Amino acid sequence: MTTIAIVGTGLMGTSLALAIKSSNLKVDIVGTDYDSVARSGAQKSGAFKKVESRLSNAIRGADVVVFATPIQAMREMMESAANDFEEGCVVTDVGSSKKVVLQWAEEVLPKHVSFVGGHPMAGKELSGPKNADGTMFKGKAYCIVPSVNAERAAVSSVTTIAEAIGAKPFFIGVDEHDSFVAAVSHLPFMMSVALMGTASKSANWDDIAQLASSGFSDLSRLAAGDPVMHRDICVTNPEPIVAWMDSYIRELYELRNMLAKEGGPDPDALHEVFEEAMNARARWKAGILTKIDRVTSDIPSFAESMGEVFMGRRGMEAQKKFFGRLKDDPANKAKKK
Amino acid sequence: MTTIAIVGTGLMGTSLALAIKSSNLKVDIVGTDYDSVARSGAQKSGAFKKVESRLSNAIRGADVVVFATPIQAMREMMESAANDFEEGCVVTDVGSSKKVVLQWAEEVLPKHVSFVGGHPMAGKELSGPKNADGTMFKGKAYCIVPSVNAERAAVSSVTTIAEAIGAKPFFIGVDEHDSFVAAVSHLPFMMSVALMGTASKSANWDDIAQLASSGFSDLSRLAAGDPVMHRDICVTNPEPIVAWMDSYIRELYELRNMLAKEGGPDPDALHEVFEEAMNARARWKAGILTKIDRVTSDIPSFAESMGEVFMGRRGMEAQKKFFGRLKDDPANKAKKK
């Protein structure tokens, strides 16, 4: 029987445990958390065989160890468990910044373990084990970022877990990961925080707030996320976030200037920009992710070239087939509503 | 029997018709739209007693006329129907910019009608009568912005309709309306458009898109909205939108600078900002709209002072009581998750 230890039994760790438990994997899941509330929440979830208060008790005997704590806590956790990892143990994490985590793994983990960075693209603005949801990963990308020394078998283990919980394994280089995730996840969080700040600092906020409805609610939702998790993301991945924020501010400023145009905004120009954004989103929602049809293209994507290193051409064909389903019939699905 | 004519049977017009039909108001609802697809969709909805292809046929005999077209079409519609309005007819609209609409009403409508601007704070990113939803207005604010010449009885009619469909009438001055709505509705739309633009124009968009999940989806949702409606909003309300965009860009730029700080971001400072945003949103969601408890405060809000002009003190006490329910127990509800 394989044993998986999950370090950190908050929203993410407990959701992962629930997802693994209801998968076809025959594994025992052990949890550990420094926080007694998180431990008792994890116990109540029924996903864990045991929930240990001591980190070393959870790590010992585990074939796979998953770090699911806020990022900044990982280095210390890895360090204090350094002597407890079994020979050949596969170590992974679910953090949203990969460069620092890979670096810490390289510096801190013993040579007899294999580290493979992981990052399921799933989450909620709610935190804690009581909000855990094992179905959260279904259909979502699961980034896999192996360390330079990772064994192929270790990559395969993490890939198996990702597939078992219904996610789509996505092989990606560390710099691309940290930049792309900054675009789709960290930038949207900063946007939400800035919106909440802008609105709530206004002298008229109490009147304004009464008019705020579902649009405002959606755009500000991410600002309700765990401040510790987001602080750690920002501290460990600042450059890519800044780069995307700059690009976003430029885009916003162009729109602003269209509205502030001498003599009034040009209706046709505005219409075109709004229609473009609507169409880009419709294409994304329909799974039409590229203008060049990738099936007929010979240029591999980042994900493809990374994947080939670890899975070989055959594994990648399987991955392509999986993603391919999302991509058929671009013309029909891109239709405007 | 009172007859309400709804000019424009798209998402908003048909939703309004459905909501009125299932309310306790005993009225006949007549619809009209220049577009035959919208007319047949409206007919299918079952909300309308008749759907007219000629504007004049819908206007004649109507006690209340509601303009629910894109804003830019309203002036022309008002003009071409000018001779068809019944004596004492109450005219209103559901547009998202109020200043221009009130101005057009003043310029174009005959003196024997009473214009009261209206704006329900409800919507969807989907358009057309087939996506109409009569429950969309429940619990949402319904801005009421009477023209200078509006009769008290006309304000009362529009208020009655707003209440009948489950919305909360919210009396507000025209400048405040156009500014506050720019904050909670037009700014979020521009944010969404800019996010879609930033991400989809990236050379790596096809890889990035595969990582985009629920956070990105929420933040970009409004960009899927009707480009014509939003073009018209921008053209008719540019200054307040620009002012809020400037304020938002400043806020975003401050956050950006916290991340770009020489020597790395200050974790505590970031934590504080994220926690503040989280708390501001939690307070808003819990209905705690003001730091000063308005029950013990003697300073009337914009909405209150406007309301007093039209409803008198007693009506406002009722409105306060209604809003009051949302506001009890601030301390408990503000609790962090």
Side-chain angles (χ1 to χ4, degrees):
Chain A
M1 189 72 150
T2 303
T3 300
I4 298 182
I6 297 181
V7 180
T9 59
L11 175 81
M12 197 45 107
T14 303
S15 295
L16 193 61
L18 287 167
I20 295 171
K21 202 194 169 190
S22 60
S23 76
N24 59 1
L25 298 177
K26 300 266 172 285
V27 292
D28 285 337
I29 312 171
V30 177
T32 181
D33 203 294
Y34 78 96
D35 177 51
S36 64
V37 178
R39 284 200 304 275
S40 78
Q43 212 115 40
K44 272 184 208 139
S45 75
F48 297 92
K49 193 187 170 199
K50 284 191 290 203
V51 182
E52 300 278 1
S53 59
R54 289 176 64 102
L55 179 62
S56 56
N57 287 350
I59 304 281
R60 276 186 217 135
D63 305 284
V64 177
V65 174
V66 184
F67 285 93
T69 66
I71 299 169
Q72 295 264 88
M74 284 183 195
R75 194 197 161 101
E76 204 185 305
M77 294 279 186
M78 288 178 179
E79 218 155 19
S80 59
N83 296 324
D84 302 311
F85 291 101
E86 301 294 332
E87 183 78 36
C89 180
V90 174
V91 184
T92 186
D93 76 310
V94 294
S96 196
S97 309
K98 290 271 75 76
K99 196 170 196 166
V100 289
V101 179
L102 284 173
Q103 197 179 310
W104 295 337
E106 175 71 21
E107 287 165 15
V108 170
L109 292 178
K111 296 298 160 211
H112 65 262
V113 310
S114 222
F115 186 81
V116 179
H119 180 207
M121 301 307 296
K124 281 200 206 182
E125 78 277 23
L126 302 168
S127 47
K130 68 178 182 301
N131 293 305
D133 173 5
T135 67
M136 191 162 83
F137 310 99
K138 291 230 183 305
K140 304 290 169 70
Y142 195 117
C143 294
I144 296 178
V145 189
S147 71
V148 278
N149 304 316
E151 310 263 342
R152 189 177 280 227
V155 178
S156 181
S157 295
V158 176
T159 309
T160 302
I161 294 172
E163 279 171 344
I165 62 173
K168 302 177 291 186
F170 193 84
F171 297 92
I172 184 164
V174 61
D175 290 328
E176 289 75 30
H177 173 277
D178 285 2
S179 168
F180 297 176
V181 169
V184 296
S185 173
H186 309 163
L187 168 63
F189 171 74
M190 299 309 264
M191 288 169 57
S192 275
V193 168
L195 175 63
M196 250 352 280
T198 306
S200 68
K201 287 174 199 166
S202 154
N204 295 313
W205 171 232
D206 27 328
D207 285 291
I208 290 172
Q210 302 202 47
L211 301 187
S213 182
S214 52
F216 186 86
S217 183
D218 270 16
L219 272 280
S220 63
R221 180 178 69 84
L222 296 179
D226 182 3
V228 172
M229 182 180 89
H230 286 104
R231 176 200 68 192
D232 282 10
I233 288 169
C234 287
V235 170
T236 55
N237 195 33
E239 292 87 0
I241 306 176
V242 167
W244 282 105
M245 287 179 86
D246 284 345
S247 168
Y248 176 68
I249 289 171
R250 266 197 302 279
E251 189 78 16
L252 209 54
Y253 205 68
E254 272 177 35
L255 286 174
R256 179 239 180 247
N257 287 343
M258 289 179 78
L259 295 197
K261 192 167 168 259
E262 186 88 33
D266 174 349
D268 295 339
L270 283 177
H271 187 268
E272 201 184 317
V273 172
F274 296 165
E275 201 166 52
E276 256 170 40
M278 181 183 77
N279 289 338
R281 190 171 189 276
R283 282 194 299 271
W284 168 62
K285 277 283 176 189
I288 304 146
L289 306 171
T290 171
K291 281 161 208 156
I292 308 152
D293 186 357
R294 208 176 295 157
V295 176
T296 64
S297 161
D298 283 335
I299 309 156
S301 70
F302 280 120
E304 281 170 2
S305 44
M306 280 302 298
E308 274 174 32
V309 176
F310 291 99
M311 298 180 88
R313 177 49 70 182
R314 270 187 62 199
M316 284 314 292
E317 291 303 327
Q319 177 160 338
K320 263 194 189 170
K321 214 169 124 192
F322 190 98
F323 285 130
R325 263 184 268 149
L326 298 170
K327 288 191 206 164
D328 4 354
D329 213 8
N332 294 338
K333 288 187 187 165
K335 266 196 312 201
K336 272 184 268 166
K337 294 218 172 92
Chain B
M1 188 71 145
T2 302
T3 299
I4 298 183
I6 296 183
V7 180
T9 60
L11 174 80
M12 198 43 106
T14 303
S15 294
L16 192 61
L18 286 168
I20 295 172
K21 202 191 171 195
S22 60
S23 76
N24 60 0
L25 297 178
K26 300 266 172 289
V27 291
D28 285 336
I29 312 171
V30 177
T32 181
D33 203 296
Y34 77 97
D35 177 52
S36 65
V37 177
R39 283 200 304 274
S40 80
Q43 212 115 39
K44 273 183 209 138
S45 76
F48 296 91
K49 194 189 169 197
K50 286 190 291 202
V51 182
E52 300 278 1
S53 58
R54 291 176 61 101
L55 179 62
S56 56
N57 287 350
I59 304 282
R60 276 187 217 133
D63 306 283
V64 177
V65 174
V66 184
F67 285 94
T69 67
I71 299 168
Q72 294 263 90
M74 284 183 195
R75 193 197 160 99
E76 205 185 306
M77 296 278 183
M78 287 179 180
E79 218 154 19
S80 59
N83 296 323
D84 302 310
F85 292 100
E86 302 293 332
E87 182 79 34
C89 179
V90 174
V91 184
T92 185
D93 75 311
V94 295
S96 196
S97 309
K98 290 272 75 80
K99 196 169 195 166
V100 288
V101 178
L102 284 173
Q103 197 180 308
W104 295 336
E106 175 70 22
E107 286 164 17
V108 171
L109 292 179
K111 296 298 159 212
H112 65 264
V113 310
S114 220
F115 186 80
V116 179
H119 180 208
M121 301 308 296
K124 281 198 204 183
E125 77 275 25
L126 304 167
S127 46
K130 69 178 180 303
N131 293 305
D133 173 4
T135 66
M136 191 162 84
F137 309 98
K138 291 232 184 302
K140 304 290 169 68
Y142 195 117
C143 294
I144 297 178
V145 189
S147 71
V148 277
N149 304 317
E151 311 262 341
R152 189 177 278 226
V155 178
S156 179
S157 294
V158 176
T159 308
T160 301
I161 293 172
E163 279 171 346
I165 62 174
K168 301 177 289 186
F170 192 83
F171 297 90
I172 185 166
V174 62
D175 291 327
E176 290 76 31
H177 172 277
D178 285 3
S179 168
F180 297 177
V181 169
V184 295
S185 172
H186 309 163
L187 169 64
F189 171 74
M190 300 309 266
M191 287 169 59
S192 274
V193 168
L195 175 63
M196 252 348 283
T198 305
S200 68
K201 287 173 199 166
S202 155
N204 296 312
W205 171 231
D206 25 331
D207 285 291
I208 291 172
Q210 301 202 47
L211 302 187
S213 183
S214 52
F216 185 86
S217 183
D218 270 14
L219 272 280
S220 64
R221 180 177 71 83
L222 296 179
D226 181 6
V228 172
M229 181 179 91
H230 285 105
R231 175 200 69 192
D232 282 9
I233 287 170
C234 287
V235 169
T236 55
N237 195 32
E239 292 87 359
I241 306 177
V242 168
W244 282 105
M245 287 179 85
D246 284 345
S247 167
Y248 176 67
I249 290 171
R250 266 197 302 278
E251 189 79 15
L252 209 54
Y253 204 69
E254 272 176 34
L255 286 175
R256 178 239 181 249
N257 287 343
M258 288 180 78
L259 295 196
K261 191 166 168 261
E262 186 89 33
D266 174 349
D268 294 338
L270 284 175
H271 187 268
E272 201 184 317
V273 172
F274 298 165
E275 202 167 53
E276 255 170 39
M278 182 183 77
N279 289 339
R281 190 171 189 275
R283 281 194 299 270
W284 169 62
K285 277 283 176 187
I288 304 147
L289 307 169
T290 171
K291 282 163 207 153
I292 308 151
D293 187 357
R294 209 177 294 158
V295 177
T296 63
S297 162
D298 282 336
I299 309 156
S301 69
F302 279 120
E304 283 171 0
S305 42
M306 280 303 297
E308 275 174 32
V309 175
F310 291 100
M311 297 182 90
R313 177 49 68 181
R314 268 186 64 198
M316 286 313 293
E317 291 303 326
Q319 176 160 338
K320 264 194 187 169
K321 213 168 127 194
F322 191 99
F323 287 130
R325 263 184 268 149
L326 299 168
K327 288 192 205 161
D328 5 354
D329 213 6
N332 295 336
K333 287 187 186 165
K335 265 197 315 199
K336 274 185 266 168
K337 293 214 174 92

